[in-house]
Amino acid sequence: GKNHLVNCKIVINGNNNIVSFGKFNSLYNCEIIIDDNGGSISFGDNNKICGRTHLAAIEGTSITIGCDCLFSSNVTFRTGDSHSIISTETNKRINKSKSIVVGDRVWFGNNCTILKGVSLCDDTIVGTCSLVTKSPTLGNVVLAGIPACVVKNNVRWETERIAFD
């Protein structure tokens, strides 16, 4: 099962980091970045990244993509904020990085962003220009908005355009 990467960039800064691919993935204009130690970004089988996509895992976190996912263009994944936010009361850092998990058959519309700690269930659709900051509890939903919330339940998607009845 060959993978097809075109105009992709992989940048790893640190030790014990892993980028892994299942079979039959197609990535176009994808940027994969891991900073710090012990991080990972992994793809299952048969994922399609159709345009500019940025995946960044920092501070030992991971981004895990299931199988049969479809990425439109200008999709961003970030497991952390890249800079520290310090409480003025305790003088301690308060913005911990967190891993992202994506199930199978998830469709990402144009210009959407998935932030730290999000888990997306199987058969989720993320609408164009959505900012996903929280995990929905069920799959077969459409998420949309800023911040994204469930706007439709009990749906699935197909790559083929099916005629209306």
Side-chain angles (χ1 to χ4, degrees), residues 79-125:
T79 64
D81 302 322
S82 296
H83 303 288
S84 299
I85 299 176
I86 309 298
S87 166
T88 57
E89 296 170 354
T90 64
N91 207 33
K92 293 186 178 178
R93 183 172 165 206
I94 58 173
N95 62 328
K96 182 176 171 105
S97 296
K98 297 176 187 166
S99 296
I100 296 171
V101 178
V102 174
D104 297 336
R105 294 170 312 284
V106 177
W107 175 16
F108 299 94
N110 288 330
N111 301 309
C112 65
T113 300
I114 314 303
L115 294 182
K116 62 184 178 179
V118 167
S119 291
L120 296 175
C121 299
D122 294 350
D123 298 296
T124 295
I125 300 167

XYZ file of all heavy atoms in Angstrom, residues 79-125:
357
model
N -1.722 21.037 18.769
C -1.887 20.430 20.085
C -1.476 21.362 21.221
O -1.636 21.014 22.393
C -1.072 19.123 20.214
O 0.320 19.440 20.104
C -1.486 18.111 19.166
N -0.948 22.532 20.886
C -0.528 23.478 21.926
C -0.528 24.892 21.400
O -0.817 25.155 20.228
N -0.183 25.804 22.283
C -0.235 27.229 21.969
C 1.115 27.795 21.520
O 1.185 28.950 21.118
C -0.708 28.010 23.202
C -2.069 27.545 23.670
O -2.926 27.237 22.826
O -2.282 27.479 24.901
N 2.171 27.030 21.629
C 3.528 27.418 21.249
C 4.188 28.414 22.196
O 5.396 28.564 22.169
C 3.592 27.958 19.811
O 3.240 26.937 18.917
N 3.418 29.101 23.003
C 3.976 30.037 23.989
C 3.295 29.791 25.325
O 2.187 29.269 25.384
C 3.767 31.495 23.553
C 4.362 31.786 22.212
N 5.721 31.876 22.013
C 3.796 31.985 21.004
C 5.958 32.119 20.737
N 4.796 32.183 20.097
N 3.939 30.193 26.386
C 3.408 29.967 27.730
C 2.446 31.070 28.152
O 2.671 32.244 27.878
C 4.559 29.913 28.743
O 5.422 28.850 28.435
N 1.372 30.644 28.808
C 0.461 31.581 29.480
C 0.642 31.343 30.973
O 0.476 30.224 31.462
C -0.997 31.370 29.051
C -1.129 31.611 27.542
C -1.923 32.292 29.845
C -2.509 31.332 26.976
N 0.996 32.403 31.695
C 1.341 32.316 33.118
C 0.263 33.004 33.949
O -0.145 34.132 33.666
C 2.702 33.011 33.391
C 3.789 32.502 32.437
C 3.119 32.868 34.846
C 4.103 31.041 32.532
N -0.189 32.311 34.988
C -1.134 32.911 35.931
C -0.409 33.975 36.751
O 0.657 33.705 37.324
C -1.700 31.842 36.864
O -2.354 32.454 37.961
N -0.982 35.173 36.837
C -0.368 36.223 37.658
C -0.579 35.956 39.137
O 0.124 36.512 39.971
C -0.932 37.603 37.291
O -2.348 37.594 37.452
C -0.561 37.984 35.867
N -1.544 35.082 39.468
C -1.798 34.755 40.882
C -0.829 33.714 41.417
O -0.345 33.822 42.533
C -3.242 34.278 41.045
C -4.254 35.364 40.721
C -5.668 34.830 40.646
O -5.868 33.595 40.736
O -6.584 35.655 40.485
N -0.529 32.680 40.598
C 0.328 31.584 41.067
C 1.720 31.613 40.451
O 2.600 30.889 40.895
C -0.314 30.223 40.726
O -0.375 30.097 39.295
C -1.703 30.099 41.337
N 1.895 32.413 39.395
C 3.141 32.475 38.639
C 3.485 31.140 37.977
O 4.640 30.850 37.686
C 4.307 32.971 39.501
C 5.356 33.650 38.648
O 5.035 34.286 37.645
N 6.618 33.510 39.041
N 2.447 30.292 37.724
C 2.640 28.996 37.075
C 1.988 29.000 35.702
O 1.002 29.699 35.464
C 2.043 27.876 37.931
C 2.795 27.684 39.231
C 2.285 26.488 39.983
C 3.114 26.334 41.250
N 2.657 25.229 42.061
N 2.538 28.188 34.839
C 1.985 28.052 33.492
C 0.631 27.351 33.546
O 0.455 26.369 34.280
C 2.953 27.253 32.618
C 2.474 27.145 31.205
C 3.499 26.543 30.292
N 2.832 26.147 29.058
C 3.251 25.204 28.261
N 4.358 24.551 28.545
N 2.590 24.899 27.174
N -0.329 27.832 32.750
C -1.691 27.290 32.811
C -2.186 26.719 31.475
O -3.306 26.216 31.414
C -2.685 28.370 33.312
C -2.662 29.595 32.402
C -2.388 28.748 34.763
C -3.725 30.629 32.716
N -1.389 26.757 30.431
C -1.864 26.283 29.120
C -1.148 25.001 28.676
O -0.290 25.012 27.816
C -1.737 27.379 28.056
C -0.312 27.831 27.823
O 0.522 27.831 28.734
N -0.013 28.216 26.593
N -1.558 23.896 29.248
C -0.966 22.598 28.944
C -1.343 22.147 27.529
O -2.475 22.305 27.096
C -1.464 21.569 29.963
C -0.886 20.204 29.785
C -1.364 19.265 30.893
C -0.966 17.855 30.583
N 0.103 17.352 31.331
N -0.388 21.601 26.816
C -0.653 21.022 25.501
C -1.391 19.699 25.671
O -1.192 18.994 26.666
C 0.667 20.798 24.758
O 1.299 22.035 24.513
N -2.257 19.365 24.703
C -3.046 18.132 24.785
C -3.159 17.508 23.403
O -3.266 18.208 22.395
C -4.447 18.422 25.320
C -4.459 18.967 26.731
C -5.874 19.328 27.144
C -5.852 20.032 28.489
N -7.120 20.672 28.767
N -3.196 16.193 23.357
C -3.257 15.445 22.103
C -4.598 15.617 21.395
O -5.605 15.968 22.014
C -3.005 13.956 22.360
O -1.696 13.771 22.847
N -4.598 15.349 20.090
C -5.797 15.384 19.251
C -5.997 13.990 18.664
O -5.044 13.372 18.201
C -5.641 16.407 18.104
C -5.503 17.822 18.665
C -6.809 16.305 17.121
C -5.126 18.871 17.617
N -7.257 13.513 18.688
C -7.587 12.203 18.127
C -8.751 12.358 17.155
O -9.768 12.967 17.492
C -7.972 11.197 19.235
C -8.366 9.848 18.626
C -6.843 11.024 20.240
N -8.581 11.806 15.960
C -9.615 11.857 14.926
C -9.998 10.426 14.575
O -9.127 9.601 14.278
C -9.099 12.598 13.670
C -10.110 12.532 12.544
C -8.753 14.045 14.014
N -11.293 10.140 14.590
C -11.783 8.806 14.248
C -11.721 8.541 12.752
O -11.000 9.207 12.007
N -12.512 7.594 12.306
C -12.567 7.205 10.899
C -13.645 8.012 10.168
O -14.646 8.416 10.762
C -12.894 5.716 10.762
C -11.831 4.818 11.365
O -10.665 5.263 11.476
O -12.159 3.670 11.721
N -13.432 8.225 8.863
C -14.404 8.880 7.991
C -14.806 10.269 8.496
O -15.984 10.622 8.525
C -15.646 8.000 7.786
C -15.364 6.710 7.032
C -16.525 5.755 7.033
N -17.126 5.546 8.341
C -16.599 4.783 9.308
N -15.468 4.129 9.097
N -17.201 4.657 10.470
N -13.830 11.054 8.873
C -14.083 12.443 9.285
C -13.743 13.348 8.106
O -12.711 13.172 7.465
C -13.268 12.817 10.541
C -13.477 14.278 10.911
C -13.662 11.900 11.701
N -14.622 14.299 7.819
C -14.465 15.218 6.688
C -14.253 16.611 7.233
O -15.076 17.113 8.010
C -15.705 15.148 5.813
C -15.778 16.105 4.669
C -14.768 16.831 4.108
C -16.959 16.446 3.940
N -15.244 17.596 3.064
C -16.594 17.372 2.951
C -18.294 16.045 4.034
C -17.506 17.914 2.062
C -19.199 16.577 3.145
C -18.799 17.498 2.167
N -13.144 17.244 6.835
C -12.788 18.591 7.276
C -13.002 19.567 6.125
O -12.352 19.460 5.088
C -11.319 18.647 7.727
C -11.030 17.747 8.888
C -10.551 16.465 8.687
C -11.264 18.180 10.179
C -10.299 15.627 9.758
C -11.016 17.344 11.261
C -10.535 16.073 11.047
N -13.894 20.540 6.306
C -14.134 21.556 5.291
C -12.991 22.551 5.218
O -12.061 22.532 6.034
N -13.045 23.438 4.228
C -12.011 24.462 4.056
C -11.883 25.352 5.280
O -12.877 25.667 5.939
C -12.350 25.368 2.859
C -12.166 24.677 1.536
O -11.329 23.796 1.401
N -12.955 25.074 0.564
N -10.654 25.762 5.547
C -10.360 26.781 6.563
C -10.853 26.427 7.964
O -11.272 27.304 8.707
C -10.958 28.138 6.143
C -10.416 28.601 4.823
O -9.209 28.631 4.614
N -11.302 28.936 3.913
N -10.783 25.164 8.341
C -11.178 24.825 9.719
C -9.923 24.578 10.563
O -8.851 24.266 10.055
C -12.142 23.659 9.754
S -11.510 22.095 9.195
N -10.101 24.751 11.865
C -9.002 24.592 12.821
C -9.442 23.663 13.940
O -10.529 23.836 14.502
C -8.584 25.960 13.396
O -8.156 26.805 12.333
C -7.455 25.816 14.402
N -8.577 22.707 14.283
C -8.825 21.754 15.354
C -7.761 22.031 16.422
O -6.564 21.948 16.138
C -8.701 20.295 14.862
C -9.431 20.080 13.535
C -9.142 19.329 15.939
C -10.892 20.421 13.516
N -8.201 22.354 17.632
C -7.264 22.733 18.686
C -7.041 21.624 19.703
O -7.716 20.596 19.698
C -7.756 24.010 19.376
C -7.768 25.264 18.504
C -8.224 26.475 19.315
C -6.409 25.523 17.872
N -6.102 21.862 20.577
C -5.618 20.890 21.558
C -6.749 20.237 22.354
O -7.746 20.866 22.678
C -4.635 21.552 22.513
C -5.227 22.681 23.336
C -4.148 23.329 24.168
C -4.716 24.493 24.968
N -3.700 25.115 25.781
N -6.563 18.931 22.591
C -7.484 18.182 23.429
C -8.741 17.693 22.741
O -9.560 17.008 23.358
N -8.911 17.987 21.475
C -10.143 17.600 20.773
C -10.070 16.147 20.323
O -9.043 15.688 19.827
C -10.397 18.527 19.557
C -11.479 17.966 18.645
C -10.767 19.927 20.035
N -11.182 15.424 20.496
C -11.369 14.086 19.931
C -12.615 14.128 19.070
O -13.659 14.604 19.520
C -11.559 13.040 21.036
O -10.369 12.848 21.743
N -12.498 13.657 17.846
C -13.638 13.627 16.934
C -14.015 12.181 16.655
O -13.173 11.380 16.251
C -13.292 14.347 15.629
C -13.001 15.842 15.770
C -12.552 16.425 14.438
C -14.219 16.582 16.304
N -15.281 11.862 16.871
C -15.785 10.506 16.669
C -15.890 10.182 15.184
O -15.850 11.066 14.329
C -17.165 10.369 17.300
S -17.196 10.650 19.082
N -16.071 8.905 14.869
C -16.257 8.457 13.497
C -17.411 9.217 12.843
O -18.399 9.574 13.504
C -16.600 6.962 13.458
C -15.463 6.073 13.942
O -14.335 6.571 14.135
O -15.720 4.870 14.132
N -17.287 9.430 11.542
C -18.353 10.004 10.722
C -18.758 11.413 11.146
O -19.929 11.776 11.072
C -19.574 9.078 10.702
C -19.229 7.731 10.094
O -18.883 7.710 8.899
O -19.268 6.718 10.807
N -17.779 12.210 11.548
C -18.020 13.617 11.867
C -17.708 14.456 10.626
O -16.783 14.152 9.886
C -17.120 14.063 13.042
O -17.506 13.336 14.213
C -17.238 15.550 13.321
N -18.482 15.517 10.419
C -18.228 16.492 9.363
C -17.930 17.814 10.051
O -18.724 18.269 10.884
C -19.449 16.642 8.435
C -19.785 15.305 7.764
C -19.205 17.743 7.403
C -21.151 15.280 7.091
